Amino acid sequence: MFSLTQGLRRAVQTKPHGMATHFAGRRFTWTQTLDRVSRVAGALSALDVQHGDRVAILALNSDRYLELMYAVPWIGAVMVPLNTRLAPREIEYILTDSGASVLFVDTAMSNHLAALEHSMPDVREVIWLDDTPPPSGLLRYEDLAAYDPVDDRGAANDDLAGLFYTGGTTGRSKGVMLSHTNLVVNALNGVAGIGFSSDTTYIHSGAMFHLADGASTFGVTMSGGRHAFVPRFEPVEVLQTIQFDRVTHAQFVPTMINMLANHPRLAEFDISTLSLVLYGASPMPEGVLRKAMQVMPHVRLLHAYGMTEASPIVTLLDPRYTTLEGKYAGRLKSCGQAALGCEVKVVDADRREVPRGTAGELAIRGANIMKGYWKKPAETAAVLADGWYYSGDGATMDEEGFVYIVDRLKDMIISGGENVYSAEVENAISLLDGVAEVAVIGVPDAHWGERVHAIIVPKAGVALTEDQVMAHCRAHIAGYKCPRSIDFRDQPLPLSGAGKVLKRDLREPYWKGLTKAVN
């Protein structure tokens, strides 16, 4: 049986008095954590949350966030973690699309409540996560934790555990349906590949709404390890927490590693317990790697590649290959080999496997692959076939199964670890008066890996400015999706014979001289 809550019960059985979480002066053992989870689950039951109902979370990292990730499946409900960087209109869409009946929110996200007040048709209860006084009429999380406990309802296997929203090629977010099996198998892949154990102390510094962090949440718990938290990534607070909690494992994107390795106060902190950093979203730039190895020589760096649809781990690059010299050098641009529970292959346009070293689309098969997209059968059928998920990432594979990502067949940009779908940005910009045509592409960026770049053709006689476009975008989409650079042109965008914008032609000048079309 695959059940998320089984991992929690195992932690209690193997380390009942072991420290489970530490945050904001609160410390709980695994026994105490299970008790709190069952009580919050009891409160949700009292609020008439039923099996299969959706429960949304809009909050920064905390121990209570982790408790919710177990309390919700404890009663067979479905968690819906919300990206804290989304604009109110995007949050409104996800709440409506998912049909969430309960919303948990904290102080940092409370500014959204006024904008969403009349735009949450299915939300019956809004619950305040913080210890600060809640707005009038809102229940407090700690009051829920005082309810009578309820027994685990036994949700498992193919039961839906979570809806994790990702950007869409059509401009609308898609809810990725992940089952208990999906998330547990992924956690087992993490335990085996990352090396979590009962001696692990993991810092939640990447956003907990991201599955990149979620993979570690469930893996560390089932191992009986310990969780430390910072609300969001801030270099000094991360270094302080590593020192104080004697953190052993962390997950950072390369830009975060760069910020830590080059921070002027790094030497003030004892981070000698930090043994492994999992990184992903983009390959490690050589300059960042050299600096990290110089200032943190005891830290092993493990590259992971994946996506929400795969729960998310697909491949892992063993830390021995994160090097620039010696017998293991030369693999640094690879994203590694298939995780233990995954099978990968590279296919052509007809979805036939190609010879090793030949570029094609990366396909993935395993018990970690999603059930499909929520209420989107056509989009689901386009990527799931014969047990395989077709990722939309262009890749090659060598004779030893090392995978190299070389392009994105889907129209997606990865900037600073966040996925940005061009269609979402284009839709937003197209709503601005005076825009005749727009195309959004990813271009190389030394700091962010890639940056969002907009190419706009104004209507005849209209003079648009970057400030106008940026102000308009910020009102419609999350800040990280907004273009960081804009070009205006008076010539129409290049089109194919089928009338589609030739984005490869638009991208070519920016990527000229580079060996691959992703950064």
Side-chain angles (χ1 to χ4, degrees):
M1 181 184 77
F2 292 110
S3 169
L4 286 177
T5 54
Q6 180 273 333
L8 175 58
R9 290 193 301 275
R10 182 187 184 278
V12 174
Q13 187 177 74
T14 59
K15 291 195 71 176
H17 306 298
M19 191 63 63
T21 62
H22 175 220
F23 179 69
R26 299 187 294 265
R27 294 177 182 270
F28 296 112
T29 66
W30 280 116
T31 297
Q32 291 171 321
T33 296
L34 184 143
D35 180 66
R36 287 172 60 82
V37 164
S38 65
R39 291 177 184 275
V40 172
L44 289 173
S45 291
L47 292 171
D48 199 32
V49 177
Q50 303 292 325
H51 185 284
D53 286 353
R54 277 75 63 202
V55 176
I57 311 168
L58 180 62
L60 301 182
N61 297 351
S62 74
D63 52 346
R64 291 168 180 166
Y65 204 125
L66 182 139
E67 290 170 4
L68 283 173
M69 294 175 80
Y70 287 95
V72 173
W74 190 271
I75 56 171
V78 180
M79 71 182 94
V80 186
L82 297 173
N83 189 325
T84 57
R85 299 175 68 182
L86 296 180
R89 295 184 187 186
E90 295 170 306
I91 296 171
E92 174 189 340
Y93 169 77
I94 293 174
L95 290 174
T96 302
D97 185 67
S98 66
S101 57
V102 175
L103 170 64
F104 286 86
V105 67
D106 65 4
T107 302
M109 297 294 107
S110 61
N111 60 303
H112 290 308
L113 289 180
L116 294 169
E117 185 176 3
H118 302 294
S119 305
M120 302 184 292
D122 298 305
V123 174
R124 303 191 307 266
E125 296 286 350
V126 178
I127 300 170
W128 193 248
L129 270 174
D130 288 344
D131 291 325
T132 57
S136 177
L138 266 59
L139 296 171
R140 292 176 64 252
Y141 183 86
E142 282 304 304
D143 292 337
L144 270 59
Y147 268 64
D148 290 335
V150 295
D151 292 336
D152 190 337
R153 300 280 175 80
N157 300 330
D158 201 42
D159 287 333
L160 187 60
L163 282 180
F164 298 85
Y165 277 79
T166 184
T169 54
T170 61
R172 284 294 195 181
S173 293
K174 303 188 296 291
V176 176
M177 297 189 291
L178 298 182
S179 68
H180 283 255
T181 294
N182 293 155
L183 293 172
V184 172
V185 168
N186 181 79
L188 291 170
N189 284 340
V191 172
I194 302 169
F196 296 135
S197 73
S198 60
D199 295 323
T200 294
T201 298
Y202 175 81
I203 180 172
H204 294 267
S205 55
M208 291 180 71
F209 61 76
H210 266 314
L211 270 176
D213 184 83
S216 297
T217 297
F218 302 123
V220 172
T221 295
M222 67 170 55
S223 302
R226 185 160 66 102
H227 300 268
F229 308 82
V230 292
R232 54 162 62 96
F233 181 85
E234 193 286 314
V236 172
E237 189 171 8
V238 167
L239 293 169
Q240 289 172 334
T241 303
I242 293 172
Q243 175 179 284
F244 185 82
D245 284 304
R246 302 187 64 76
V247 168
T248 62
H249 289 66
Q251 182 262 322
F252 304 127
V253 298
T255 52
M256 294 177 181
I257 296 174
N258 190 33
M259 292 169 70
L260 291 173
N262 288 286
H263 200 279
R265 294 186 58 190
L266 174 65
E268 296 178 23
F269 301 94
D270 177 6
I271 61 169
S272 58
T273 58
L274 185 64
S275 63
L276 185 140
V277 168
L278 179 72
Y279 73 94
S282 60
M284 181 72 70
E286 183 175 325
V288 174
L289 176 62
R290 288 187 182 277
K291 183 66 174 181
M293 293 171 64
Q294 174 191 339
V295 300
M296 298 183 288
H298 63 288
V299 177
R300 294 171 297 141
L301 297 168
L302 188 156
H303 186 195
Y305 161 80
M307 66 282 298
T308 306
E309 290 87 345
S311 304
I313 299 173
V314 173
T315 65
L316 294 167
L317 182 68
D318 189 285
R320 76 183 79 177
Y321 298 108
T322 310
T323 182
L324 297 167
E325 54 192 29
K327 65 178 182 178
Y328 294 116
R331 305 285 195 188
L332 188 57
K333 293 182 179 179
S334 167
C335 57
Q337 298 164 303
L340 288 184
C342 289
E343 185 177 356
V344 298
K345 65 180 180 179
V346 180
V347 300
D348 61 19
D350 295 317
R351 293 183 170 176
R352 295 175 300 199
E353 189 167 6
V354 300
R356 296 296 174 92
T358 304
E361 181 179 10
L362 189 69
I364 306 123
R365 180 166 65 181
N368 57 318
I369 296 300
M370 67 172 181
K371 292 162 64 74
Y373 296 120
W374 177 256
K375 298 193 295 188
K376 287 182 167 50
E379 288 89 338
T380 299
V383 297
L384 291 182
D386 301 320
W388 291 89
Y389 167 67
Y390 293 89
S391 69
D393 281 339
T396 62
M397 188 191 303
D398 68 17
E399 293 297 330
E400 295 181 71
F402 286 87
V403 175
Y404 298 79
I405 304 300
V406 296
D407 199 358
R408 291 195 189 93
L409 310 180
K410 55 192 174 187
D411 200 4
M412 187 180 77
I413 304 159
I414 298 182
S415 182
E418 292 279 10
N419 293 352
V420 181
Y421 283 81
S422 299
E424 292 185 81
V425 189
E426 289 164 351
N427 284 355
I429 294 175
S430 69
L431 298 174
L432 176 63
D433 287 341
V435 172
E437 297 180 75
V438 58
V440 171
I441 59 174
V443 299
D445 186 276
H447 182 70
W448 300 107
E450 297 171 2
R451 72 175 183 272
V452 181
H453 180 75
I455 302 169
I456 297 172
V457 180
K459 291 180 180 178
V462 175
L464 294 174
T465 67
E466 286 194 19
D467 288 344
Q468 284 177 285
V469 175
M470 290 300 297
H472 172 81
C473 286
R474 282 191 290 267
H476 287 79
I477 53 177
Y480 70 88
K481 299 178 184 178
C482 295
R484 296 182 180 273
S485 54
I486 301 171
D487 280 343
F488 296 99
R489 55 186 282 167
D490 53 14
Q491 297 297 314
L493 298 176
L495 300 177
S496 69
K500 293 186 177 181
V501 175
L502 294 170
K503 288 195 175 180
R504 286 187 181 273
D505 290 358
L506 295 175
R507 295 174 72 203
E508 197 275 334
Y510 299 94
W511 295 90
K512 191 174 183 179
L514 299 178
T515 57
K516 55 185 180 179
V518 291
N519 196 35

